[in-house]
Amino acid sequence: MYSPMDNYIQMLGGDSADAVSQFYGMGSYNSSNPYANIRTNAGYGDNAGDGLYADLIRAQTRDYNQRFAPIENFLAGQITATGTKSLGDDLARTRSSSLGAVANAQGQQGRSMGRMGLTNTSNIANSTTAVGGLVGGLNDTRLRDTDRRTSILSGSMSGISQKARGTGQ
Amino acid sequence: MGGGGGGPEELESKKALAEQSANALRRYGQTFVPLENMFIEDTKRMFDYDASENAMAMAQNQTSSLYEQGLGDMQSAQFNMGLDPTSGRVKKESSALREAQARGMGLAGAGAGIDYTDAAYQGLGNVINMGQGLQTNAMDGNINRLQAGLDRSGAQAKSDFARSSSLQSIAGTGAGMAYGSYGLGGG
């Protein structure tokens, strides 16, 4: 099942296994599995089991640092003084949704009036309702972004700082 | 002095437990790490500007249909009441309801977009939970998020319909007529 090289690497500890893999150009060795190279045999010696445990902990720490720590950094980096960095995109989407909906409703109204042989003279885009909807939507977007910032820091979305302190990561 | 050399011998069971943990971790790496990586990539893609396009479009379409029904009912009521379609009252009322429809669709789409971004952040929070071996938080799926948005739109549409005098007359309350208000008021 495993080649002699695989078996050899498997017998090595986590850091050594990675170093040997890279030296022999096996850097991409099963890269999707960060635990592929950990040995499963404690071997012999005074503290063989303890040594294997230590290797496992190091492998888990390395995996966390490679796969999960960047996500933590990303989340922390999203927080701004007033909300999150997603605010700009959210505002643009709100604006586009409101303006698109106005154009859509205007078209529907025109077709509806046309079916009765009437000309549509209403201008939905300039109506208080539509403009008020847009302004209200933008304000709501800002408020929700501020709430999101709170949730990321301390609430249901993540609470990243408490977790970081709790696990010592 | 001297001595027997070294500490107490390591228990064989400790070695066995360590090997068991190593095997479990390898299996986790083979089976679950690719799935976790897939989830991480999917969640990161939720931050793309266009990622929420479908959710927003669905919310707009569903909200539009809520108002379509009201507009149809309003037209029937106007015809039944013998109102002239070219009259100012009919035009104003239908136009006011269309404006309310535009506002409803716009806010529903915007809300769906914000919900999507929130879900992306919640997903990343869950990724960190996974990494730290913590329990992940339950996430609403697309359908639940859409339904929550539609519930809000439905309540708003109901309030908008309640302000249409023709629709009020269908309901038999006649409140709109009694008030003598045209259109939806405030529009």
Side-chain angles (χ1 to χ4, degrees):
Chain A
M1 179 194 282
Y2 293 109
S3 72
M5 189 64 178
D6 290 337
N7 286 331
Y8 171 67
I9 288 173
Q10 191 184 334
M11 291 298 292
L12 298 172
D15 287 334
S16 305
D18 281 354
V20 171
S21 296
Q22 282 178 7
F23 181 79
Y24 286 104
M26 300 169 72
S28 59
Y29 180 79
N30 201 359
S31 60
S32 64
N33 180 359
Y35 302 107
N37 293 334
I38 60 170
R39 61 198 171 100
T40 52
N41 190 332
Y44 302 97
D46 284 346
N47 293 304
D50 208 42
L52 180 53
Y53 265 134
D55 282 347
L56 299 186
I57 293 167
R58 286 190 194 101
Q60 284 181 311
T61 305
R62 196 168 47 244
D63 179 32
Y64 188 87
N65 286 338
Q66 284 174 354
R67 290 195 302 140
F68 300 101
I71 303 287
E72 266 188 336
N73 294 340
F74 172 81
L75 265 181
Q78 288 298 102
I79 294 167
T80 65
T82 55
T84 70
K85 287 182 180 168
S86 297
L87 176 62
D89 278 354
D90 278 343
L91 284 173
R93 277 189 285 262
T94 295
R95 201 171 288 118
S96 128
S97 176
S98 290
L99 297 179
V102 163
N104 189 317
Q106 182 81 42
Q108 287 192 50
Q109 179 71 348
R111 287 188 292 279
S112 174
M113 301 286 275
R115 278 195 286 275
M116 293 185 284
L118 302 172
T119 307
N120 178 26
T121 53
S122 64
N123 187 348
I124 295 176
N126 285 338
S127 70
T128 317
T129 309
V131 174
L134 172 62
V135 173
L138 292 173
N139 288 338
D140 188 46
T141 304
R142 285 192 190 88
L143 277 175
R144 286 190 59 179
D145 190 61
T146 306
D147 289 347
R148 181 187 294 149
R149 173 182 185 265
T150 309
S151 295
I152 292 173
L153 275 172
S154 61
S156 59
M157 267 182 199
S158 170
I160 48 175
S161 54
Q162 289 96 324
K163 283 178 198 161
R165 189 166 58 179
T167 59
Q169 294 290 344
Chain B
M1 305 289 277
E9 195 179 337
E10 190 175 51
L11 288 173
E12 191 63 23
S13 61
K14 184 173 183 182
K15 277 172 63 175
L17 278 171
E19 288 171 355
Q20 189 183 42
S21 299
N23 275 307
L25 208 52
R26 275 192 99 166
R27 278 218 332 272
Y28 158 75
Q30 281 165 357
T31 310
F32 294 104
V33 166
L35 296 176
E36 283 180 355
N37 288 344
M38 190 170 71
F39 179 73
I40 291 170
E41 288 307 313
D42 287 350
T43 306
K44 280 155 77 177
R45 272 197 291 275
M46 288 176 78
F47 284 91
D48 292 348
Y49 182 78
D50 295 331
S52 56
E53 209 169 63
N54 282 344
M56 290 172 69
M58 275 178 77
Q60 282 201 345
N61 284 341
Q62 302 269 14
T63 304
S64 178
S65 69
L66 289 174
Y67 281 89
E68 283 302 321
Q69 194 180 349
L71 281 155
D73 289 346
M74 183 192 67
Q75 274 187 350
S76 303
Q78 287 168 342
F79 288 133
N80 290 341
M81 289 158 72
L83 295 176
D84 177 4
T86 61
S87 70
R89 174 182 171 179
V90 168
K91 280 185 179 175
K92 188 172 180 183
E93 195 175 26
S94 69
S95 178
L97 206 49
R98 281 288 178 204
E99 288 163 11
Q101 179 189 21
R103 182 198 57 208
M105 287 169 66
L107 291 179
I114 296 170
D115 285 344
Y116 202 83
T117 311
D118 281 347
Y121 277 106
Q122 198 181 4
L124 287 190
N126 276 342
V127 167
I128 295 172
N129 281 359
M130 284 177 189
Q132 296 181 353
L134 300 172
Q135 187 179 4
T136 55
N137 296 314
M139 283 176 69
D140 269 344
N142 285 317
I143 298 298
N144 281 353
R145 279 197 302 274
L146 178 65
Q147 190 56 52
L150 280 180
D151 290 345
R152 287 194 294 272
S153 298
Q156 181 61 51
K158 212 171 170 183
S159 154
D160 289 335
F161 297 156
R163 295 162 74 192
S164 160
S165 51
S166 298
L167 285 173
Q168 289 279 11
S169 72
I170 298 179
T173 64
M177 298 292 278
Y179 292 149
S181 66
Y182 289 167
L184 297 171

